[in-house]
Amino acid sequence: MATKIEDFLKEKKIDPRRIIAASAKIERLQPEDRAIRLTKRLARGSEDAAKKKEAASAKKPRSGRPVTDRTLSAALKGKPISGPAKTRVLRAVNRLLEQKKQEKVELSALFDLPKKGGAAGAEAAG
């Protein structure tokens, strides 16, 4: 039985190695990300409340953590992966689809998302 992401990649003819390469390029720290981190770090050390508010409202930097081979293989096998890892896979897949002039997809197209309600919903269904 193939997983949802595996079927999607076969349908769209996307090589998993390209996902890893695209993610490395997307998630790589840029000078602007380092500047954001620097301003936040300096604001934490200062006593000025205005600087702290300014740093808090700054744009969120990239994570600097691309999709790894291990993460992608776990996703393809249907093993559980973290939410941020799923988002990184989604961003890389959407970048590849954009290069192929195709429509972007949602997270639910790649992964089986848990139903809202968690354990309470499972008890009611059982």
Side-chain angles (χ1 to χ4, degrees):
M1 184 175 132
T3 59
K4 210 170 180 181
I5 187 169
E6 195 174 7
D7 291 338
F8 182 83
L9 294 180
K10 283 181 183 169
E11 177 190 324
K12 298 291 184 177
K13 297 179 183 168
I14 296 175
D15 189 352
R17 295 175 295 187
R18 290 195 63 205
I19 293 174
I20 294 170
S23 178
K25 191 166 186 161
I26 294 168
E27 301 296 332
R28 184 175 294 134
L29 286 177
Q30 301 294 323
E32 65 229 23
D33 302 318
R34 292 186 180 95
I36 293 168
R37 287 183 174 188
L38 176 66
T39 56
K40 282 187 178 181
R41 191 171 69 235
L42 292 175
R44 274 197 310 264
S46 74
E47 296 296 321
D48 190 12
K51 280 188 181 180
K52 287 185 180 183
K53 284 187 178 180
E54 181 183 319
S57 66
K59 183 183 170 205
K60 190 172 180 182
R62 291 173 184 83
S63 66
R65 298 182 58 129
V67 174
T68 61
D69 187 35
R70 182 177 179 177
T71 303
L72 191 60
S73 64
L76 291 174
K77 291 178 185 173
K79 295 182 180 175
I81 61 173
S82 70
K86 288 179 188 177
T87 304
R88 289 192 288 267
V89 170
L90 176 69
R91 277 199 296 261
V93 167
N94 279 336
R95 172 68 62 93
L96 295 174
L97 289 174
E98 183 181 307
Q99 289 173 350
K100 290 183 165 199
K101 307 281 192 273
Q102 295 179 2
E103 294 294 317
K104 291 184 176 185
V105 295
E106 298 290 322
L107 192 60
S108 59
L110 300 178
F111 297 101
D112 291 323
L113 300 178
K115 302 286 185 259
K116 296 260 183 191
E123 290 174 16

